[in-house]
Amino acid sequence: MEPSDAQTLAGARETRPTWPAPLPASDDTRPLYDRIQDVIALYPERKSAVVPALRLAQDEYGWLSEQAFDAVADATGFTPAFCKSVASFYDMFRLTPTGRYEICVCTNVSCALVGAAGTMRAFERELGIHPGETSEDGLFTLKTVECYGGCGWGPVVSVNERYHEPLPAEQVPELVARLRADAEPDA
Amino acid sequence: MTTDLRILLDFDGDRRDIGDYERAGGYRQLTKALAGAPEDVIAAVDGSGIRGRGGAGFPTGRKASFLPKDRKPAYLCVNADESEPGTFKDREIMLRNPHALIEGVITMSFGIGATSAFIYIRGEYRAEFEVLMTALQQARERGFVGADVLGSGYDATVVLHRGAGAYICGEETALLSSLEGERGQPRSKPPFPAVAGLYAAPTLVNNVETLASVPYILEMGGAAYAEIGTERSKGTRVFSLSGNVKRPGNYELPLTATLRELIEGHGGGMPDGRTMKAIIPGGSSAPILMPDQIDTHIDFESIAAAGSMAGSGAIIVIDDRTCMVQLALRVSEFYKHESCGKCTPCREGTRWGVDIIRRIEMGEARQGELDLLLNVCDRILGNCLCPLGDAMAMPVASYVTHFRDEFQRHIDEGGCPFTEHSPISGLYHEPAAVS
């Protein structure tokens, strides 16, 4: 709903926020180890940097491979096993290789009430995979996720951590086609 | 009608730019607070009567007063891990009014004598993280954040910390574990965070909406704020309205409003041709209310008296097409997924709950399993370190209590009678059954 629509309703002032343009990707090209040292310096205790360090490593390697855990362990001073135990607790850490586009469909209550099942099924049809799977060409990983906090604007879907809300089933084919086209040049 | 009062979101568009925020009077309360005594900040917050907007509703001023004054370091942690299903109001506050949060954080930090503040924002909120990062940078450049704030001698360090996807980290001791770099598991209380919180130091944990309200409370004065609302629920609150309503969204209302004013007045009521089946009044962990309770007031006490809880202020409207067994399954699956595994009743009970409800939905349950389900809920309730297990047990038990016939029909008929039209069906049944 556009803010202007909301204003026309007596007493109603729901004004959906406008989303900011994404910030440009970091241009910090220093080694992962050095960037993790900067993060460690932010905290009174070094262990607090483990989660941010895992995120940096995931961005660097695409997923948290053995190599990624070793890098985080070396840079933070903890063991790879400890880093793994932390990473496995949190949903956003990828412990297996993921497609170029990670598509997450929220299926929690509010989204489910307004069509999340249809959106999820539409992705299954378009991509030929089920939640938890990656397409053979390595382009897409499909996941269902728990509440994304977009409940009034559902069904909510994220593509590589960027929200699309709402994304009803009928808009899924167009989105998938656009993602495929974007991937084409260096596919 | 008392519904036309807004404080936190009383403007169109956003005030992400610090100039817009300052032109609207922003950062003046911080400037004034720094010129006075820290105790004055806490006294004003205490006098306002504001209660935590995260879910538990504990009086904010009292919570702040629990911190020992003589122990340093001390920390302020901002709970921006909004993840109770149905809740999306902190997100809107951060997107539209981020500087109110930052001003509230620095002012409150000064009030409790904190050496640093940490904003723990859920990992999924990437756009919100970027907005806060930009806003913090602007605030640093203007001297509101950093060493020697506005020449007062007070050093305000703020660290923006992203979570990585775990509902339980919204529970304050789990948040602290997570911020310390551990798995986000709750701790036993006592000791409470006020005494032994982050890095075992005195720590105050407050929700985004609570802290963003602080500049407005100081501007109005605690006593004036306390005149809004009911005797025990003060001020305004941003309610997240979702589910089967015409105009879902966040609506800020004084705590004297009713569910009817929110759902029908602001939300436009049910979509055409549908009737209301139930209301979830405080996030998915809240027991349901029935349509004939729509005139219940939305303050903490009234919702509790009606048999539920105001929780995170998330109201989810359920229409007549919805299968209550599917709803119970979806809700319980969520809490099972998010159970950290530390306490046995929650770890085992959420799994048992899901297994039984799934059997009921799929037509595989035996007679008597409904009572088994209630028994499982009962054994979770109050038996764990944190309320996550209760968050499954309470709503599920309420669905069974209010819609026992519907659950029983699934068992008697050997399957779900509502697969054709329930909006949740497609998650559990073949697409053929779903439009």
Side-chain angles (χ1 to χ4, degrees):
Chain A
M1 180 168 62
E2 294 300 316
S4 55
D5 295 335
Q7 296 309 302
T8 63
L9 305 163
R13 289 273 295 225
E14 194 268 337
T15 50
R16 185 175 151 160
T18 51
W19 275 262
L23 290 185
S26 166
D27 53 5
D28 190 344
T29 53
R30 291 174 305 146
L32 178 63
Y33 183 95
D34 295 346
R35 284 180 283 135
I36 292 176
Q37 301 315 309
D38 288 357
V39 176
I40 291 172
L42 294 174
Y43 299 93
E45 294 191 12
R46 173 171 72 101
K47 200 196 278 177
S48 287
V50 168
V51 166
L54 286 165
R55 174 174 279 108
L56 289 174
Q58 177 165 278
D59 290 345
E60 174 108 351
Y61 293 93
W63 64 289
L64 292 174
S65 57
E66 292 290 331
Q67 197 187 1
F69 279 119
D70 285 344
V72 171
D74 283 346
T76 58
F78 294 92
T79 64
F82 175 77
C83 296
K84 275 183 205 172
S85 81
V86 172
S88 66
F89 189 84
Y90 298 96
D91 289 339
M92 293 179 74
F93 289 128
R94 300 190 287 267
L95 304 178
T96 52
T98 301
R100 173 163 174 176
Y101 297 112
E102 184 185 48
I103 296 178
C104 299
V105 183
C106 173
T107 57
N108 208 292
V109 173
S110 297
C111 284
L113 288 171
V114 296
T119 295
M120 193 261 286
R121 298 289 187 189
F123 275 112
E124 286 184 325
R125 277 195 305 274
E126 288 298 314
L127 305 176
I129 52 175
H130 296 294
E133 296 175 352
T134 297
S135 61
E136 274 182 25
D137 57 9
L139 267 189
F140 297 99
T141 296
L142 180 62
K143 287 182 176 174
T144 56
V145 292
E146 295 297 1
C147 187
Y148 256 15
C151 320
W153 311 311
V156 182
V157 167
S158 77
V159 180
N160 291 351
E161 294 188 22
R162 297 290 173 186
Y163 281 22
H164 295 246
E165 46 190 347
L167 191 77
E170 56 270 23
Q171 291 176 18
V172 168
E174 188 196 326
L175 173 65
V176 170
R178 200 169 73 233
L179 295 174
R180 280 192 207 282
D182 287 350
E184 200 63 38
D186 49 325
Chain B
M1 289 279 274
T2 53
T3 61
D4 215 27
L5 177 71
R6 288 164 299 274
I7 294 173
L8 204 45
L9 296 175
D10 189 22
F11 56 89
D12 297 330
D14 65 69
R15 289 181 184 154
R16 285 202 278 267
D17 186 78
I18 196 165
D20 293 339
Y21 183 67
E22 285 191 85
R23 274 187 290 280
Y27 287 110
R28 274 184 220 158
Q29 300 310 313
L30 173 63
T31 311
K32 270 167 65 180
L34 289 169
E39 300 79 49
D40 296 346
V41 173
I42 306 305
V45 171
D46 196 42
S48 75
I50 188 172
R51 290 164 63 175
R53 299 296 194 237
F58 195 83
T60 306
R62 247 177 80 204
K63 194 174 184 182
S65 74
F66 292 153
L67 270 77
K69 309 249 176 311
D70 48 347
R71 274 179 55 207
K72 298 291 170 234
Y75 300 111
L76 175 68
C77 288
V78 184
N79 189 339
D81 193 54
E82 177 170 72
S83 31
E84 174 71 14
T87 319
F88 52 107
K89 46 102 185 168
D90 289 340
R91 199 180 151 206
E92 175 149 346
I93 292 166
M94 291 187 281
L95 281 172
R96 290 183 54 205
N97 206 359
H99 287 286
L101 174 61
I102 294 169
E103 184 177 7
V105 168
I106 304 304
T107 310
M108 199 66 163
S109 292
F110 172 71
I112 62 167
T115 36
S116 306
F118 295 86
I119 302 177
Y120 186 105
I121 181 168
R122 66 176 295 188
E124 292 86 348
Y125 282 3
R126 183 163 172 177
E128 294 72 12
F129 163 76
E130 292 179 352
V131 164
L132 281 183
M133 205 162 72
T134 306
L136 267 174
Q137 189 51 39
Q138 292 177 342
R140 279 194 193 101
E141 284 162 11
R142 297 278 292 109
F144 299 124
V145 173
D148 190 20
V149 179
L150 302 173
S152 66
Y154 180 68
D155 297 335
T157 307
V158 182
V159 177
L160 195 48
H161 182 95
R162 292 180 74 191
Y167 165 80
I168 188 58
C169 293
E171 194 279 333
E172 63 178 12
T173 63
L175 183 150
L176 297 174
S177 299
S178 179
L179 187 47
E180 288 177 5
E182 302 273 353
R183 300 161 68 86
Q185 292 190 311
R187 307 167 177 179
S188 73
K189 296 190 274 194
F192 287 88
V195 177
L198 187 64
Y199 313 122
T203 303
L204 177 65
V205 185
N206 282 151
N207 166 263
V208 166
E209 185 181 352
T210 314
L211 287 166
S213 298
V214 168
Y216 299 95
I217 288 170
L218 295 179
E219 186 183 0
M220 297 169 72
Y225 189 88
E227 280 176 22
I228 306 163
T230 69
E231 195 190 335
R232 291 183 59 202
S233 294
K234 302 299 189 187
T236 61
R237 200 170 179 195
V238 182
F239 290 90
S240 297
L241 180 64
S242 69
N244 302 126
V245 285
K246 278 187 187 157
R247 295 190 297 269
N250 289 310
Y251 298 96
E252 183 177 4
L253 304 173
L255 284 163
T256 46
T258 63
L259 286 171
R260 187 188 295 281
E261 286 168 54
L262 174 65
I263 296 170
E264 293 184 354
H266 295 275
M270 310 298 295
D272 295 335
R274 303 199 202 139
T275 54
M276 186 184 293
K277 187 166 186 174
I279 306 164
I280 296 176
S284 70
S285 58
I288 45 165
L289 298 179
M290 299 299 281
D292 63 4
Q293 294 176 292
I294 194 169
D295 289 309
T296 303
H297 285 77
I298 54 177
D299 59 285
F300 291 97
E301 285 70 34
S302 299
I303 302 271
S308 187
M309 62 177 199
S312 61
I315 284 87
I316 306 174
V317 182
I318 314 286
D319 77 23
D320 55 338
R321 300 169 305 162
T322 309
C323 169
M324 297 308 284
V325 178
Q326 290 173 5
L327 183 70
L329 182 54
R330 195 64 278 276
V331 167
S332 56
E333 281 175 336
F334 169 71
Y335 292 103
K336 173 188 143 188
H337 178 260
E338 303 296 342
S339 176
C340 81
K342 188 164 182 170
C343 308
T344 309
C346 173
R347 184 182 66 240
E348 296 295 319
T350 51
R351 173 169 287 278
W352 271 68
V354 167
D355 287 351
I356 297 168
I357 299 166
R358 183 181 296 280
R359 282 202 296 275
I360 295 172
E361 173 63 16
M362 299 305 166
E364 298 157 5
R366 298 180 306 264
Q367 296 295 335
E369 289 207 55
L370 261 185
D371 288 324
L372 178 62
L373 177 60
L374 289 174
N375 183 290
V376 168
C377 291
D378 198 42
R379 280 157 191 262
I380 297 172
L381 273 171
N383 289 326
C384 305
L385 285 181
C386 92
L388 189 143
D390 294 0
M392 184 204 89
M394 293 185 300
V396 166
S398 80
Y399 304 167
V400 176
T401 305
H402 287 290
F403 293 95
R404 190 158 181 130
D405 291 353
E406 201 171 296
F407 279 77
Q408 189 61 44
R409 260 189 80 187
H410 282 70
I411 300 175
D412 294 343
E413 297 177 19
C416 178
F418 310 110
T419 50
E420 292 296 325
H421 56 258
S422 174
I424 311 177
S425 267
L427 296 176
Y428 302 114
H429 301 282
E430 282 306 301
V434 187
S435 59

